[in-house]
Amino acid sequence: MLQQAGRYNDLSPKLVEKINDRLDSFGKKVRYKFEISNEDPHPDNKGKRIFPFLWTLDPITFTIIDNDEDVTIKGRENKQKLKRIGIVETLKE
């Protein structure tokens, strides 16, 4: 699970529990499939697919709405339901 870093990944305890339960249900192995092939532009290879020599995944951040955030709980009074999620290497605040 992503650790909180400043305002990133500041999820409510209830949502963290839901996510952890969901992750535990998947097992120990995960298989990903990336659609990175393109049609071969050479006229003799019509219909064939080519794959890039090098392909990287860029770090991404996104926003979710945490409907499980309860601002009546002590210590969570000033929290928002709108949460920013991302992999943060260094905290700059």
Side-chain angles (χ1 to χ4, degrees):
M1 181 76 188
L2 295 172
Q3 298 299 316
Q4 180 180 347
R7 288 180 268 182
Y8 287 92
N9 310 324
D10 185 15
L11 304 175
S12 66
K14 192 172 182 180
L15 182 58
V16 170
E17 184 179 333
K18 283 183 181 180
I19 292 171
N20 285 334
D21 290 343
R22 181 84 186 263
L23 288 174
D24 291 341
S25 73
F26 290 135
K28 293 184 179 185
K29 293 183 181 180
V30 177
R31 185 175 174 177
Y32 295 96
K33 181 177 181 180
F34 298 101
E35 300 290 339
I36 60 173
S37 66
N38 296 305
E39 289 186 28
D40 192 340
H42 195 278
D44 293 341
N45 295 331
K46 190 168 184 164
K48 292 186 180 179
R49 308 292 293 174
I50 58 173
F51 292 85
F53 173 73
L54 179 65
W55 191 72
T56 59
L57 288 173
D58 295 326
I60 189 169
T61 60
F62 56 94
T63 305
I64 65 168
I65 296 175
D66 185 355
N67 290 321
D68 296 317
E69 185 66 72
D70 187 2
V71 294
T72 61
I73 297 174
K74 186 173 183 175
R76 306 230 25 114
E77 299 92 1
N78 296 323
K79 303 295 180 179
Q80 297 180 358
K81 288 188 178 258
L82 194 67
K83 308 291 180 162
R84 295 187 70 188
I85 308 295
I87 298 174
V88 181
E89 291 183 21
T90 58
L91 182 61
K92 297 178 184 176
E93 282 197 38

